[in-house]
Amino acid sequence: MINTICWKDDIVRMIDQTVLPEREVYIECTDYKQVADSIRTMVIRGAPAIGVAAAMGIALGAMASKADNKQVFLQDLDEVYRVIGETRPTAVNLFWAIDQMKGIVRKHNSLPISQLKDKLKQRALEIREQDISINKNIGQHGQQFIKDGDCILTHCNAGALATAGYGTALGVIRAAHDAGKRLSVLADETRPFMQGARLTAWELMHDHIPVTLITDNMAGYFMQQGKVNLVVVGADRIAGNGDVANKIGTYSVAVLADKHNIPFYVAAPISTLDLSLSSGEEIPIEQRAADEVTHVWGKSIAPVGVKVAHPAFDVTPARYVTGIITERGVAGPAYVDSLKALACGDND
Amino acid sequence: MINTICWKDDIVRMIDQTVLPEREVYIECTDYKQVADSIRTMVIRGAPAIGVAAAMGIALGAMASKADNKQVFLQDLDEVYRVIGETRPTAVNLFWAIDQMKGIVRKHNSLPISQLKDKLKQRALEIREQDISINKNIGQHGQQFIKDGDCILTHCNAGALATAGYGTALGVIRAAHDAGKRLSVLADETRPFMQGARLTAWELMHDHIPVTLITDNMAGYFMQQGKVNLVVVGADRIAGNGDVANKIGTYSVAVLADKHNIPFYVAAPISTLDLSLSSGEEIPIEQRAADEVTHVWGKSIAPVGVKVAHPAFDVTPARYVTGIITERGVAGPAYVDSLKALACGDND
């Protein structure tokens, strides 16, 4: 079992996703700034995992506060929220997790500081636990779309490594595999960070699910050859109208899937919905550093000084999305209503 | 000026495209087997450049023959044709060059062996010279499609490094630039071999043409943002109906361009036409080794033992091609007639 992130003896321990699969190294964060750095540098990545890390980081920050009155404690927390909140702009799960922790502070406003710290830690651990069961539910709701013998294309890594465990898009694939369906996966390598080559391929091989690695620019070729039955990806933020921000390249895959009449599913927890946004155009797109494009494992693959663009995400319009698979069921077009209905369901 | 391939003192000298842009190293081939190896290992690549290398390789092979009678000489040549012909299956320019050399042998059948060797060498040098002027004509015919201020997206490298000089797709861009049009280029990095990152970016920076490097999976994003005015790519083989085989990923770019109503041009010499094929489905697609996908500069980026697919080319159906720019003019739909008309024009 892959242990993406856990809490042990008041230390946040994460597998370092920047060096997988070559090395299996664990990073131990003893303060919230280390957690923020780990999110920023993509030691941990994937929207749900970022949410868990953010919550745990806030718990660490709260516990480290030396404040002896509530006002100073709340000021300390504000600084923690700020630092954690400035790590990565696109995945809404980060802000969702911050809101969850703020809610705990509001709810237990009357408790003494030490007990409030315990409540924050407790909520962070709960968020991690809940994420795993959420993913298993996503898997159950999604696996109905996979038929025996299907080949499923996925982009980036929306697996156990992108979550507290099991995965969203890979959760759907795992659930179908666990249900005894024979399937195979085409994994886009997902430049520049190579989440597909490094993480998705590694995870699926670990679970003995047949996977073939391709470069991103081969996806169209295999669709044209009739080799892809279904696409399933994760999401970093889903607007109220069903527009989906996800790893750069997802939009191209969606357009290609549409052109070839291949169903295109998005698998994500309810915490990835951002119903405050009426369309994907409002989702901030993170621009990352040029050297992630020009260098692979520290080795330059481009001329020195070349100009580079590096949007880390793109937005897939809802019209290309066949369905959004959540832990509470599957939303289909029209998303404004279907997403609202799911979001207003029972809160877990 | 980039000197991709030249003939000097009966040695074929090529810039080693596997180590650019980090190092500018020249490989000197003294026999045809070295030329064949250089084509196979992509020391030299790009359909027109492969054609030139094949012709020069055959000339080297002919000159090295120790045959003292014509029959043995022709048998030696058959072996040279076979070895050169088995290097790479998709680019038709390789086979076109072999046919050109066979034509010389037929035409000068009555000459003594030593003079026949001279004729073969002379034809190989001519093919190189002609390629440069062909590219300049392609540039002139193509630059009309580029407007002042345009941003042009290209995939792979169809530049000076893919030809004897000047380039096909990049020839069109160079001609527009030379005509004083302000333009900028988005260069797909073109995994797995990184021809865009390593070669196109390097060439354009060398000529002070503004270029921005992107990963292949960003092309759709920039089209969606309205940042791409035109796409121009090269070709490895064009069937009689206008279907175009080119570097893997070209098909995806073409579908995306179509979806965004962006003109998609192919620039290639007449020698890239294969009117013997009625459609692109008949074009053989080279499958290359897995380690070109799993390793970057010798460093592994994927789990050991992962299954990989590596089609090196794909076929873009003619319906996505706005025009095919050749040295004799521009073919537009319907290609069956327009390509035939160009192919039957004056032979140079």
Side-chain angles (χ1 to χ4, degrees), chain B residues 20-242:
Chain B
L20 279 174
E22 198 187 33
R23 286 181 294 147
E24 203 171 318
V25 175
Y26 291 83
I27 302 278
E28 301 198 329
C29 300
T30 52
D31 72 49
Y32 78 92
K33 286 182 181 169
Q34 287 175 300
V35 173
D37 282 343
S38 298
I39 297 171
R40 193 180 302 107
T41 59
M42 296 171 73
V43 162
I44 191 158
R45 31 63 54 198
I50 289 172
V52 174
M56 288 186 173
I58 292 166
L60 278 187
M63 289 162 66
S65 168
K66 295 188 169 56
D68 54 7
N69 74 68
K70 196 62 79 59
Q71 197 191 342
V72 175
F73 179 67
L74 294 180
Q75 283 169 2
D76 285 352
L77 271 182
D78 280 342
E79 175 63 8
V80 173
Y81 299 147
R82 189 189 65 75
V83 170
I84 296 281
E86 286 180 354
T87 51
R88 299 197 69 193
T90 303
V92 76
N93 310 62
L94 177 79
F95 307 102
W96 172 87
I98 294 172
D99 283 346
Q100 290 286 312
M101 300 304 263
K102 285 181 177 171
I104 293 296
V105 173
R106 269 197 307 276
K107 184 175 171 189
H108 301 287
N109 188 32
S110 57
L111 289 182
I113 290 171
S114 65
Q115 288 182 42
L116 198 42
K117 289 178 176 178
D118 284 345
K119 292 286 183 193
L120 286 167
K121 170 177 160 181
Q122 192 184 318
R123 182 67 191 124
L125 299 186
E126 260 176 31
I127 287 174
R128 177 182 178 281
E129 286 308 309
Q130 286 172 352
D131 188 59
I132 298 173
S133 64
I134 283 168
N135 291 334
K136 292 198 168 164
N137 286 331
I138 288 173
Q140 281 315 309
H141 288 298
Q143 66 106 345
Q144 62 179 305
F145 301 115
I146 296 178
K147 295 185 303 296
D148 191 55
D150 272 358
C151 174
I152 303 125
L153 185 136
T154 190
H155 187 73
C156 196
N157 172 271
L161 288 165
T163 61
Y166 205 70
T168 52
L170 296 193
V172 170
I173 290 170
R174 279 197 168 88
H177 178 76
D178 293 348
K181 295 176 191 174
R182 287 165 305 174
L183 55 86
S184 61
V185 177
L186 277 176
D188 280 356
E189 69 174 9
T190 318
R191 281 279 292 146
F193 203 66
M194 303 281 192
Q195 290 95 333
R198 298 193 300 105
L199 310 178
T200 295
W202 184 74
E203 261 198 65
L204 294 176
M205 289 171 78
H206 187 275
D207 282 6
H208 306 287
I209 297 174
V211 58
T212 300
L213 173 63
I214 60 173
T215 59
D216 300 307
N217 57 24
M218 293 176 191
Y221 172 84
F222 286 102
M223 292 184 185
Q224 188 189 32
Q225 302 286 310
K227 299 283 172 62
V228 179
N229 302 101
L230 183 133
V231 176
V232 60
V233 297
D236 287 81
R237 192 184 301 217
I238 301 172
N241 68 342

Side-chain angles (χ1 to χ4, degrees), chain A residues 52-238:
Chain A
V52 174
M56 288 186 174
I58 291 166
L60 278 186
M63 289 162 65
S65 169
K66 294 188 171 54
D68 54 8
N69 74 68
K70 196 63 79 60
Q71 198 190 343
V72 176
F73 179 66
L74 294 179
Q75 284 169 1
D76 285 352
L77 271 182
D78 280 342
E79 175 63 8
V80 174
Y81 299 146
R82 189 189 65 75
V83 170
I84 296 280
E86 286 180 352
T87 50
R88 301 197 67 193
T90 303
V92 77
N93 310 61
L94 178 78
F95 308 102
W96 172 86
I98 295 172
D99 283 346
Q100 290 287 312
M101 301 304 264
K102 285 181 176 171
I104 293 295
V105 173
R106 271 196 308 276
K107 184 175 170 188
H108 302 285
N109 189 31
S110 58
L111 289 182
I113 292 171
S114 64
Q115 288 181 40
L116 198 42
K117 289 178 176 178
D118 284 345
K119 292 286 183 194
L120 286 166
K121 171 178 160 181
Q122 191 184 320
R123 181 67 191 124
L125 298 188
E126 260 175 30
I127 287 175
R128 176 182 179 282
E129 285 307 310
Q130 285 171 353
D131 187 59
I132 298 174
S133 64
I134 284 168
N135 291 334
K136 292 198 169 164
N137 286 331
I138 289 173
Q140 281 314 310
H141 287 299
Q143 65 106 345
Q144 61 180 304
F145 302 116
I146 296 177
K147 295 184 302 299
D148 191 56
D150 273 358
C151 174
I152 302 126
L153 185 137
T154 190
H155 187 72
C156 196
N157 173 271
L161 288 164
T163 61
Y166 204 72
T168 52
L170 296 194
V172 170
I173 290 169
R174 279 197 169 90
H177 178 75
D178 292 347
K181 295 176 191 175
R182 287 164 304 173
L183 54 85
S184 61
V185 176
L186 277 176
D188 279 358
E189 69 174 8
T190 319
R191 281 282 291 150
F193 203 66
M194 302 281 192
Q195 291 93 333
R198 299 193 300 103
L199 310 178
T200 295
W202 184 74
E203 259 197 67
L204 293 177
M205 287 170 79
H206 187 276
D207 282 5
H208 305 289
I209 297 173
V211 57
T212 300
L213 173 64
I214 60 173
T215 60
D216 300 308
N217 57 23
M218 294 176 192
Y221 172 84
F222 285 102
M223 290 183 185
Q224 187 188 32
Q225 302 287 311
K227 299 281 172 64
V228 179
N229 301 101
L230 182 133
V231 177
V232 61
V233 297
D236 287 80
R237 192 183 300 217
I238 301 171

Side-chain angles (χ1 to χ4, degrees), chain A residues 22 189 191 197-198 213 216-218 220 224 249 251 258-260 297 299-301 303 307 309 315 320, chain B residues 22 189 191 197-198 212-213 216-218 220 224 249 251 258-260 297 299-301 303 307 309 315 320:
Chain A
E22 197 186 33
E189 69 174 8
R191 281 282 291 150
R198 299 193 300 103
L213 173 64
D216 300 308
N217 57 23
M218 294 176 192
Q224 187 188 32
Y251 171 67
D258 180 65
K259 182 63 100 180
H260 295 87
W297 283 144
K299 174 90 183 165
S300 172
I301 51 106
K307 187 176 167 197
V315 174
Y320 297 126
Chain B
E22 198 187 33
E189 69 174 9
R191 281 279 292 146
R198 298 193 300 105
T212 300
L213 173 63
D216 300 307
N217 57 24
M218 293 176 191
Q224 188 189 32
Y251 170 67
D258 180 67
K259 183 63 100 178
H260 296 87
W297 282 144
K299 175 90 181 162
S300 173
I301 51 105
K307 189 179 167 194
V315 174
Y320 297 127

